[in-house]
Amino acid sequence: SQKIEQNSEALNIQEGKTATLTCNYTNYSPAYLQWYRQDPGRGPVFLLLIRENEKEKRKERLKVTFDTTLKQSLFHITASQPADSATYLCALSNYGGSQGNLIFGKGTKLSVKP
Amino acid sequence: EPEVTQTPSHQVTQMGQEVILRCVPISNHLYFYWYRQILGQKVEFLVSFYNNEISEKSEIFDDQFSVERPDGSNFTLKIRSTKLEDSAMYFCASSDGQGNSPLHFGNGTRLTVT
């Protein structure tokens, strides 16, 4: 089955800077990869989905890249704000392609200081 | 915006007791899921449900667990005889398609087994 690594448990940055979070997977190349935000005591909230044939996806201040050769996705938040402080989860299908249900990384806890 | 609702928000039960966790998915969604998150750990897949039957389940979802869609709106998770290690946050989710469709999560039921 798939393994996901989000290699930073915590990331602290100053307001206004760009936060970059990393997600690596080890086995099958998924057809798509998703990013979620989770606040303490709440359920994950969907942010962005990127397909294997897309190199980059943007939504407002968020940008996701997907490199199937490196088996890696990068998640960027530009002009970060204290309200962006949360845990960010990478998720992808448990098997190759689009089969199987989502499995999640452990997440990276982002703290944006004013 | 429609949302997934879960009740109760917190359930305390004694070891060996049965619990039922309830969820109302988004009304036009067809795919339903249960995930759990032990404190400080990652979100883990339990089971997916489509067309009134289980479509996939994880190793965690053993004979003590069952799911049901008793009517057109509710989706329940039953744990027959709770163990201490069942203490976790249980999240219900729904989606309007499989594969690359985002999951919409509820805010969870915190289950504490004493």
Side-chain angles (χ1 to χ4, degrees):
Chain A
S1 63
Q2 192 65 273
K3 286 194 189 333
I4 303 174
E5 287 177 8
Q6 293 186 251
N7 60 358
S8 296
E9 282 197 13
L11 180 64
N12 300 310
I13 64 168
Q14 205 67 32
E15 183 176 8
K17 301 292 187 188
T18 296
T20 298
L21 285 63
T22 305
C23 173
N24 295 288
Y25 59 93
T26 55
N27 292 335
Y28 310 103
S29 282
Y32 59 92
L33 188 146
Q34 302 186 24
W35 284 89
Y36 288 77
R37 169 184 172 138
Q38 187 176 27
D39 290 282
R42 314 279 284 187
V45 174
F46 171 74
L47 296 175
L48 276 171
L49 179 151
I50 187 165
R51 294 181 173 78
E52 61 180 340
N53 60 350
E54 297 174 317
K55 294 288 185 216
E56 182 180 296
K57 198 85 168 274
R58 289 176 187 260
K59 179 182 173 183
E60 297 171 355
R61 294 184 295 111
L62 308 181
K63 184 177 87 172
V64 173
T65 62
F66 192 8
D67 188 327
T68 55
T69 303
L70 292 179
K71 296 189 176 182
Q72 181 181 83
S73 174
L74 299 179
F75 178 81
H76 306 270
I77 306 175
T78 57
S80 59
Q81 304 164 0
D84 295 326
S85 298
T87 297
Y88 291 85
L89 310 177
C90 168
L92 42 81
S93 60
N94 196 19
Y95 309 115
S98 61
Q99 298 303 307
N101 291 286
L102 280 187
I103 60 169
F104 286 82
K106 199 171 177 188
T108 297
K109 185 175 180 181
L110 175 67
S111 296
V112 181
K113 306 291 184 195
Chain B
E1 186 174 320
E3 57 181 28
V4 175
T5 57
Q6 291 186 243
T7 55
S9 56
H10 193 183
Q11 173 93 47
V12 180
T13 189
Q14 286 192 325
M15 197 166 53
Q17 296 296 304
E18 174 184 287
V19 293
I20 297 176
L21 310 183
R22 301 180 192 281
C23 169
V24 179
I26 293 173
S27 61
N28 63 342
H29 283 183
L30 301 176
Y31 297 83
F32 313 114
Y33 309 83
W34 284 99
Y35 283 78
R36 80 170 186 192
Q37 187 174 32
I38 295 170
L39 188 64
Q41 299 190 25
K42 61 183 178 182
V43 176
E44 299 177 288
F45 168 72
L46 292 179
V47 66
S48 58
F49 193 87
Y50 169 71
N51 201 24
N52 281 320
E53 60 182 27
I54 290 174
S55 48
E56 189 173 348
K57 60 184 181 180
S58 72
E59 292 172 355
I60 303 168
F61 194 89
D62 62 21
D63 292 344
Q64 293 300 312
F65 291 86
S66 62
V67 289
E68 194 178 30
R69 188 154 162 83
D71 53 43
S73 59
N74 290 286
F75 181 50
T76 61
L77 174 70
K78 182 194 290 188
I79 309 176
R80 216 175 323 275
S81 177
T82 49
K83 303 189 279 285
L84 293 176
E85 53 264 38
D86 293 328
S87 295
M89 197 77 154
Y90 287 81
F91 294 109
C92 173
S94 67
S95 70
D96 59 6
Q98 58 181 350
N100 62 2
S101 296
L103 298 186
H104 297 256
F105 284 85
N107 279 323
T109 293
R110 179 169 297 286
L111 177 66
T112 303
V113 182
T114 61

